[in-house]
Amino acid sequence: VQLVESGGDLVQAGGSLRLSCATSGFPFDDYAIGWFRQAPGKAREGVSYISISDSTTYYSDSVKGRFTISSDNAKKTVYLEMNSLKPEDTAVYYCAAHNPPDYTGDYYFKYGMQYSGKGTLVIVSS
């Protein structure tokens, strides 16, 4: 299983970024793919996830309405579109994958996912 994040950058508050998670080595359609983040000195937290088979999505309250998760099944890639960025969004963002993709709500945020990438750094300046 390989998960490779990209797209992290330095951006001003109010700006936008799109993160990408390129995957390989597993049956993409059989997984849930999620984004987690970890700010300096803080615990890792769940941001969003998508169940690839039925495109069900879930967001944390802190990003709901600002972030959008999507997938390109042909490219086996998941995206996180981040708008109206705030300084508190500054973190290393990790892509993660889990099978089966059947859990709902904040299950994955509480218990994590099976596989994770190495992360991409997002810095939002005020």
Side-chain angles (χ1 to χ4, degrees):
V1 174
Q2 282 200 317
L3 304 162
V4 180
E5 304 92 337
S6 61
D9 205 345
L10 170 64
V11 63
Q12 287 191 332
S16 298
L17 276 177
R18 188 178 79 159
L19 305 183
S20 299
C21 173
T23 75
S24 62
F26 62 94
F28 188 69
D29 291 356
D30 293 344
Y31 277 70
I33 308 294
W35 287 96
F36 294 75
R37 66 186 182 185
Q38 188 165 18
K42 294 189 176 182
R44 188 175 296 197
E45 64 171 347
V47 175
S48 180
Y49 68 82
I50 182 169
S51 175
I52 300 302
S53 61
D54 63 7
S55 299
T56 300
T57 60
Y58 186 83
Y59 298 90
S60 68
D61 288 342
S62 61
V63 307
K64 198 175 298 181
R66 299 188 298 123
F67 292 9
T68 302
I69 192 169
S70 63
S71 68
D72 183 329
N73 293 11
K75 295 183 178 179
K76 296 185 179 181
T77 299
V78 171
Y79 304 99
L80 185 69
E81 186 75 35
M82 306 187 296
N83 298 313
S84 303
L85 282 162
K86 305 174 181 179
E88 51 263 43
D89 294 317
T90 295
V92 177
Y93 283 71
Y94 299 90
C95 176
H98 192 94
N99 173 272
D102 302 329
Y103 298 106
T104 60
D106 64 355
Y107 179 91
Y108 297 117
F109 294 173
K110 287 182 179 178
Y111 302 108
M113 289 184 159
Q114 293 162 318
Y115 306 103
S116 180
K118 295 183 178 180
T120 186
L121 178 61
V122 173
I123 300 175
V124 184
S125 64
S126 57

